[in-house]
Amino acid sequence: MRNAFKVFFNSARRLSFGKIVRLLRLTLPHPLFSVLSFYATLKTYSIAKKYFPKTNSNDGIGNAFRHALWTALAMMYCCKISSPQKSYVFCKRFTDMHEELFPNEPIQTKMDLHNNQVGLNIFMEMLPGIHRQFFETGFLIDKILEKTKTAVILQSVDDNPGNELVYLTI
């Protein structure tokens, strides 16, 4: 968990004043969502390192797993205090904003945004079968690990992989 805090603070130091203002405009009106999403970020980082120690930080399958789990966990935590609809709107904006604040190459951005959406979709697909108050992290990990088995390599920004996880390198 200590490494996750270190990564977070090193990333935050790179933000310009304008980017900090944009981040605050999203997070200040929703303090509970923001705290829960930050917690989801830390938890996801440690879980991804456990399951994918070599590819969670690069463009491999571990990165795809991490992004999908991140959005799904953020949704799970936010849904415990609010409606799925409000949680979805915040989590989508929060996770998409990460890609705007810390830009990558276009294909990496496409990969991350796509995997974020897959995580949101997984949570929303599971929601009717499990009351949102009884969701557990293990449910999401299992489902997303299952998705990694059918993940595909993203060849270009024009690819449309549907609801499959995508990655760039093995």
Side-chain angles (χ1 to χ4, degrees):
M1 193 68 93
R2 183 179 299 157
N3 282 342
F5 276 111
K6 190 175 180 180
V7 168
F8 174 78
F9 287 112
N10 285 338
S11 297
R13 289 189 327 192
R14 296 185 336 202
L15 293 176
S16 67
F17 179 74
K19 288 181 177 182
I20 291 171
V21 168
R22 288 182 58 212
L23 183 60
L24 290 174
R25 287 172 66 192
L26 173 66
T27 58
L28 288 180
H30 308 284
L32 291 176
F33 280 173
S34 301
V35 168
L36 293 171
S37 295
F38 175 69
Y39 179 70
T41 304
L42 296 176
K43 185 132 177 132
T44 298
Y45 184 79
S46 63
I47 292 169
K49 271 188 91 77
K50 176 183 168 188
Y51 284 94
F52 297 94
K54 293 183 176 148
T55 61
N56 77 82
S57 299
N58 59 24
D59 294 333
I61 194 72
N63 181 279
F65 171 83
R66 182 169 50 92
H67 275 269
L69 182 63
W70 177 40
T71 55
L73 281 182
M75 277 292 295
M76 180 183 81
Y77 295 139
C78 291
C79 276
K80 291 185 185 287
I81 64 163
S82 188
S83 72
Q85 295 77 20
K86 288 180 183 177
S87 300
Y88 183 93
V89 169
F90 177 82
C91 290
K92 174 88 171 130
R93 287 183 60 211
F94 182 80
T95 57
D96 285 358
M97 182 177 281
H98 176 270
E99 299 308 317
E100 295 170 23
L101 297 177
F102 304 102
N104 288 317
E105 295 297 319
I107 196 162
Q108 291 170 314
T109 299
K110 164 115 180 177
M111 173 187 66
D112 291 346
L113 290 173
H114 177 81
N115 290 329
N116 290 350
Q117 187 61 52
V118 170
L120 292 172
N121 293 348
I122 287 171
F123 182 85
M124 295 306 282
E125 288 167 9
M126 293 176 71
L127 188 59
I130 304 168
H131 190 280
R132 65 181 194 232
Q133 296 299 325
F134 299 114
F135 252 95
E136 293 183 14
T137 304
F139 300 161
L140 297 169
I141 291 172
D142 292 344
K143 187 74 169 173
I144 297 169
L145 281 173
E146 197 175 297
K147 274 276 203 205
T148 62
K149 295 175 185 171
T150 59
V152 296
I153 294 178
L154 188 64
Q155 302 290 334
S156 78
V157 293
D158 298 326
D159 287 355
N160 182 8
N163 200 35
E164 297 299 327
L165 290 174
V166 295
Y167 61 104
L168 299 178
T169 62
I170 296 177

